[in-house]
Amino acid sequence: MHHIVFFGLLAAVSVAFALLEIQIEGGHGWASGLPTWRIRNRWTERFLGARAITGYHLYAHVFVLLLVHLPYAVVPDAWDWRVELRILAFLILFWILEDFLWFVLNPRYRLRRFRPQYVWWHAASWWGPMPRDYWLFIPVGIVLYLVAW
């Protein structure tokens, strides 16, 4: 039952955030149409490829990171390394699934345009049918989840 709740909530939160992000960004991925600050240098290019760090993405990631740790504020004695691993697994899998759903649910993209020629912010690091980040972080999220049990 725990697995169903975990993955059901993961899917629901990912859909909700993807829909929110579609409303904010529209068809302009990686906040390219938003009035936000951007940092791009050799370090960001090494880790993010063609993407700059944007204020929008930094604050969205910090917000979600803090939010997934809310159980510790509600139940202070709840900290446990297995719980933390589940939270980190949730966080990693959430960002991958949310990113993918941004394309699938976005009327400007849909699945047919989930390809490097349409997605400049992932284009430099596309491996086969998916961006490199998906290939790297899906296994990390799954391993964290499995180790936590």
Side-chain angles (χ1 to χ4, degrees), residues 17-50:
F17 202 88
L19 291 171
L20 173 64
E21 201 168 32
I22 290 164
Q23 292 301 306
I24 294 168
E25 293 181 309
H28 306 287
W30 204 255
S32 61
L34 297 181
T36 184
W37 56 260
R38 299 168 203 307
I39 297 173
R40 186 168 183 175
N41 56 39
R42 65 186 171 119
W43 294 105
T44 62
E45 288 174 1
R46 174 172 281 156
F47 293 105
L48 299 173

Short mmCIF file of all heavy atoms in Angstrom, two decimals, residues 17-50:
data_model
loop_
_atom_site.label_atom_id
_atom_site.label_comp_id
_atom_site.label_asym_id
_atom_site.label_seq_id
_atom_site.Cartn_x
_atom_site.Cartn_y
_atom_site.Cartn_z
N PHE A 17 2.11 20.28 -10.72
CA PHE A 17 3.18 21.26 -10.91
C PHE A 17 3.45 21.50 -12.39
O PHE A 17 3.72 22.63 -12.80
CB PHE A 17 4.45 20.83 -10.17
CG PHE A 17 5.37 21.98 -9.88
CD1 PHE A 17 5.23 22.72 -8.73
CD2 PHE A 17 6.37 22.34 -10.78
CE1 PHE A 17 6.07 23.80 -8.46
CE2 PHE A 17 7.21 23.41 -10.53
CZ PHE A 17 7.06 24.14 -9.36
N ALA A 18 3.37 20.45 -13.20
CA ALA A 18 3.57 20.62 -14.65
C ALA A 18 2.51 21.56 -15.22
O ALA A 18 2.81 22.45 -16.02
CB ALA A 18 3.53 19.28 -15.36
N LEU A 19 1.26 21.38 -14.79
CA LEU A 19 0.18 22.26 -15.28
C LEU A 19 0.40 23.69 -14.81
O LEU A 19 0.16 24.64 -15.57
CB LEU A 19 -1.17 21.73 -14.82
CG LEU A 19 -1.62 20.42 -15.49
CD1 LEU A 19 -2.87 19.87 -14.80
CD2 LEU A 19 -1.86 20.62 -16.98
N LEU A 20 0.85 23.87 -13.58
CA LEU A 20 1.15 25.22 -13.08
C LEU A 20 2.28 25.84 -13.90
O LEU A 20 2.19 26.99 -14.33
CB LEU A 20 1.54 25.16 -11.60
CG LEU A 20 2.04 26.47 -10.99
CD1 LEU A 20 0.94 27.52 -10.99
CD2 LEU A 20 2.57 26.23 -9.58
N GLU A 21 3.31 25.07 -14.15
CA GLU A 21 4.45 25.58 -14.90
C GLU A 21 4.08 25.90 -16.35
O GLU A 21 4.60 26.86 -16.93
CB GLU A 21 5.62 24.60 -14.84
CG GLU A 21 6.93 25.24 -15.13
CD GLU A 21 8.12 24.37 -14.79
OE1 GLU A 21 8.04 23.14 -14.90
OE2 GLU A 21 9.16 24.96 -14.45
N ILE A 22 3.17 25.14 -16.93
CA ILE A 22 2.68 25.44 -18.29
C ILE A 22 1.95 26.78 -18.28
O ILE A 22 2.11 27.58 -19.21
CB ILE A 22 1.78 24.30 -18.81
CG1 ILE A 22 2.62 23.05 -19.09
CG2 ILE A 22 1.02 24.73 -20.06
CD1 ILE A 22 1.79 21.77 -19.24
N GLN A 23 1.19 27.04 -17.24
CA GLN A 23 0.49 28.32 -17.13
C GLN A 23 1.47 29.48 -17.00
O GLN A 23 1.24 30.57 -17.52
CB GLN A 23 -0.47 28.32 -15.93
CG GLN A 23 -1.64 27.40 -16.08
CD GLN A 23 -2.49 27.75 -17.29
OE1 GLN A 23 -2.93 28.88 -17.46
NE2 GLN A 23 -2.68 26.77 -18.16
N ILE A 24 2.58 29.24 -16.32
CA ILE A 24 3.58 30.29 -16.11
C ILE A 24 4.45 30.49 -17.35
O ILE A 24 4.65 31.62 -17.81
CB ILE A 24 4.47 29.94 -14.89
CG1 ILE A 24 3.64 29.98 -13.61
CG2 ILE A 24 5.67 30.88 -14.80
CD1 ILE A 24 4.33 29.37 -12.39
N GLU A 25 4.94 29.40 -17.94
CA GLU A 25 5.89 29.50 -19.05
C GLU A 25 5.24 29.46 -20.42
O GLU A 25 5.84 29.91 -21.39
CB GLU A 25 6.91 28.35 -18.98
CG GLU A 25 7.84 28.42 -17.80
CD GLU A 25 8.83 27.28 -17.80
OE1 GLU A 25 8.40 26.11 -17.92
OE2 GLU A 25 10.04 27.56 -17.70
N GLY A 26 4.06 28.88 -20.52
CA GLY A 26 3.44 28.71 -21.83
C GLY A 26 4.29 27.80 -22.69
O GLY A 26 4.73 26.74 -22.26
N GLY A 27 4.55 28.22 -23.90
CA GLY A 27 5.37 27.43 -24.81
C GLY A 27 6.84 27.80 -24.78
O GLY A 27 7.62 27.32 -25.58
N HIS A 28 7.21 28.68 -23.83
CA HIS A 28 8.59 29.17 -23.74
C HIS A 28 9.33 28.43 -22.64
O HIS A 28 9.37 28.87 -21.50
CB HIS A 28 8.61 30.68 -23.48
CG HIS A 28 7.82 31.45 -24.47
ND1 HIS A 28 8.24 31.65 -25.77
CD2 HIS A 28 6.61 32.03 -24.38
CE1 HIS A 28 7.34 32.34 -26.42
NE2 HIS A 28 6.33 32.57 -25.61
N GLY A 29 9.91 27.30 -23.00
CA GLY A 29 10.59 26.46 -22.02
C GLY A 29 11.79 27.11 -21.40
O GLY A 29 12.37 28.07 -21.91
N TRP A 30 12.16 26.56 -20.27
CA TRP A 30 13.27 27.01 -19.44
C TRP A 30 13.18 28.51 -19.16
O TRP A 30 14.17 29.24 -19.19
CB TRP A 30 14.62 26.61 -20.01
CG TRP A 30 15.64 26.57 -18.92
CD1 TRP A 30 16.62 27.49 -18.68
CD2 TRP A 30 15.75 25.59 -17.88
NE1 TRP A 30 17.34 27.15 -17.56
CE2 TRP A 30 16.82 25.97 -17.05
CE3 TRP A 30 15.06 24.43 -17.57
CZ2 TRP A 30 17.20 25.25 -15.94
CZ3 TRP A 30 15.44 23.70 -16.46
CH2 TRP A 30 16.50 24.12 -15.67
N ALA A 31 11.97 28.96 -18.89
CA ALA A 31 11.69 30.34 -18.48
C ALA A 31 12.20 31.36 -19.49
O ALA A 31 12.48 32.50 -19.14
CB ALA A 31 12.27 30.61 -17.09
N SER A 32 12.31 30.96 -20.76
CA SER A 32 12.89 31.86 -21.77
C SER A 32 12.03 33.09 -22.03
O SER A 32 12.55 34.10 -22.52
CB SER A 32 13.14 31.11 -23.08
OG SER A 32 11.93 30.60 -23.61
N GLY A 33 10.76 33.06 -21.68
CA GLY A 33 9.91 34.23 -21.87
C GLY A 33 9.59 34.96 -20.58
O GLY A 33 8.76 35.87 -20.58
N LEU A 34 10.24 34.59 -19.50
CA LEU A 34 9.94 35.19 -18.20
C LEU A 34 10.94 36.27 -17.82
O LEU A 34 12.13 36.17 -18.16
CB LEU A 34 9.93 34.12 -17.10
CG LEU A 34 8.89 33.01 -17.23
CD1 LEU A 34 9.01 32.04 -16.06
CD2 LEU A 34 7.50 33.59 -17.29
N PRO A 35 10.49 37.27 -17.07
CA PRO A 35 11.40 38.32 -16.60
C PRO A 35 12.12 37.86 -15.33
O PRO A 35 11.79 38.26 -14.22
CB PRO A 35 10.45 39.48 -16.31
CG PRO A 35 9.18 38.81 -15.90
CD PRO A 35 9.10 37.55 -16.73
N THR A 36 13.10 37.00 -15.49
CA THR A 36 13.84 36.45 -14.36
C THR A 36 15.33 36.59 -14.62
O THR A 36 15.75 36.70 -15.77
CB THR A 36 13.46 34.96 -14.15
OG1 THR A 36 14.11 34.47 -12.99
CG2 THR A 36 13.83 34.10 -15.34
N TRP A 37 16.11 36.62 -13.57
CA TRP A 37 17.56 36.71 -13.77
C TRP A 37 18.10 35.37 -14.25
O TRP A 37 17.48 34.34 -14.07
CB TRP A 37 18.28 37.18 -12.50
CG TRP A 37 18.05 36.39 -11.24
CD1 TRP A 37 17.20 36.73 -10.23
CD2 TRP A 37 18.67 35.16 -10.86
NE1 TRP A 37 17.27 35.77 -9.24
CE2 TRP A 37 18.16 34.79 -9.60
CE3 TRP A 37 19.60 34.32 -11.46
CZ2 TRP A 37 18.55 33.65 -8.93
CZ3 TRP A 37 19.99 33.16 -10.80
CH2 TRP A 37 19.47 32.84 -9.55
N ARG A 38 19.24 35.43 -14.90
CA ARG A 38 19.88 34.24 -15.44
C ARG A 38 21.39 34.33 -15.19
O ARG A 38 21.98 35.39 -15.32
CB ARG A 38 19.68 34.15 -16.96
CG ARG A 38 18.24 34.05 -17.37
CD ARG A 38 18.07 34.25 -18.88
NE ARG A 38 16.76 34.66 -19.28
CZ ARG A 38 15.61 34.08 -18.99
NH1 ARG A 38 15.58 33.03 -18.24
NH2 ARG A 38 14.47 34.55 -19.42
N ILE A 39 21.96 33.19 -14.86
CA ILE A 39 23.42 33.10 -14.70
C ILE A 39 23.89 32.01 -15.64
O ILE A 39 23.41 30.88 -15.60
CB ILE A 39 23.84 32.77 -13.26
CG1 ILE A 39 23.40 33.87 -12.30
CG2 ILE A 39 25.34 32.53 -13.18
CD1 ILE A 39 23.63 33.54 -10.84
N ARG A 40 24.84 32.39 -16.50
CA ARG A 40 25.42 31.43 -17.42
C ARG A 40 26.92 31.67 -17.48
O ARG A 40 27.38 32.78 -17.77
CB ARG A 40 24.81 31.59 -18.81
CG ARG A 40 25.28 30.51 -19.75
CD ARG A 40 24.47 30.50 -20.98
NE ARG A 40 24.91 29.40 -21.80
CZ ARG A 40 24.35 29.06 -22.91
NH1 ARG A 40 23.30 29.71 -23.34
NH2 ARG A 40 24.82 28.06 -23.61
N ASN A 41 27.66 30.64 -17.14
CA ASN A 41 29.12 30.72 -17.17
C ASN A 41 29.67 29.32 -17.41
O ASN A 41 28.91 28.39 -17.69
CB ASN A 41 29.66 31.35 -15.88
CG ASN A 41 29.22 30.61 -14.63
OD1 ASN A 41 29.15 29.37 -14.62
ND2 ASN A 41 28.91 31.35 -13.58
N ARG A 42 30.96 29.15 -17.29
CA ARG A 42 31.53 27.83 -17.59
C ARG A 42 31.05 26.76 -16.62
O ARG A 42 30.95 25.60 -16.98
CB ARG A 42 33.05 27.89 -17.64
CG ARG A 42 33.70 28.23 -16.33
CD ARG A 42 35.20 28.42 -16.52
NE ARG A 42 35.77 28.95 -15.31
CZ ARG A 42 36.68 28.34 -14.59
NH1 ARG A 42 37.16 27.18 -14.98
NH2 ARG A 42 37.15 28.89 -13.50
N TRP A 43 30.72 27.13 -15.38
CA TRP A 43 30.23 26.16 -14.40
C TRP A 43 28.81 25.73 -14.72
O TRP A 43 28.49 24.54 -14.65
CB TRP A 43 30.32 26.71 -12.98
CG TRP A 43 31.74 26.92 -12.58
CD1 TRP A 43 32.40 28.11 -12.49
CD2 TRP A 43 32.70 25.91 -12.29
NE1 TRP A 43 33.71 27.90 -12.14
CE2 TRP A 43 33.93 26.55 -12.01
CE3 TRP A 43 32.65 24.52 -12.23
CZ2 TRP A 43 35.08 25.85 -11.67
CZ3 TRP A 43 33.80 23.83 -11.88
CH2 TRP A 43 34.99 24.49 -11.61
N THR A 44 27.97 26.69 -15.06
CA THR A 44 26.59 26.32 -15.40
C THR A 44 26.56 25.52 -16.69
O THR A 44 25.77 24.59 -16.82
CB THR A 44 25.68 27.56 -15.53
OG1 THR A 44 26.14 28.39 -16.59
CG2 THR A 44 25.62 28.35 -14.23
N GLU A 45 27.42 25.86 -17.64
CA GLU A 45 27.47 25.10 -18.90
C GLU A 45 27.96 23.67 -18.66
O GLU A 45 27.51 22.75 -19.32
CB GLU A 45 28.35 25.82 -19.91
CG GLU A 45 27.68 27.08 -20.45
CD GLU A 45 28.58 27.90 -21.34
OE1 GLU A 45 29.74 27.51 -21.58
OE2 GLU A 45 28.11 28.96 -21.81
N ARG A 46 28.87 23.51 -17.71
CA ARG A 46 29.37 22.16 -17.40
C ARG A 46 28.25 21.28 -16.83
O ARG A 46 28.13 20.12 -17.18
CB ARG A 46 30.52 22.25 -16.42
CG ARG A 46 30.98 20.87 -15.95
CD ARG A 46 32.23 20.93 -15.14
NE ARG A 46 33.32 21.08 -16.10
CZ ARG A 46 34.49 21.62 -15.83
NH1 ARG A 46 34.74 22.06 -14.63
NH2 ARG A 46 35.42 21.71 -16.73
N PHE A 47 27.44 21.84 -15.95
CA PHE A 47 26.40 21.04 -15.29
C PHE A 47 25.04 21.11 -15.96
O PHE A 47 24.26 20.16 -15.87
CB PHE A 47 26.27 21.46 -13.82
CG PHE A 47 27.48 21.12 -13.01
CD1 PHE A 47 28.38 22.09 -12.64
CD2 PHE A 47 27.75 19.80 -12.65
CE1 PHE A 47 29.52 21.78 -11.91
CE2 PHE A 47 28.89 19.47 -11.92
CZ PHE A 47 29.77 20.46 -11.55
N LEU A 48 24.74 22.21 -16.61
CA LEU A 48 23.40 22.38 -17.19
C LEU A 48 23.38 22.44 -18.71
O LEU A 48 22.32 22.59 -19.30
CB LEU A 48 22.75 23.67 -16.63
CG LEU A 48 22.55 23.70 -15.13
CD1 LEU A 48 22.06 25.07 -14.70
CD2 LEU A 48 21.57 22.62 -14.70
N GLY A 49 24.52 22.36 -19.36
CA GLY A 49 24.56 22.41 -20.82
C GLY A 49 24.13 23.78 -21.32
O GLY A 49 24.65 24.80 -20.89
N ALA A 50 23.15 23.81 -22.20
CA ALA A 50 22.69 25.06 -22.82
C ALA A 50 21.86 25.91 -21.88
O ALA A 50 21.55 27.05 -22.18
CB ALA A 50 21.88 24.74 -24.08
#
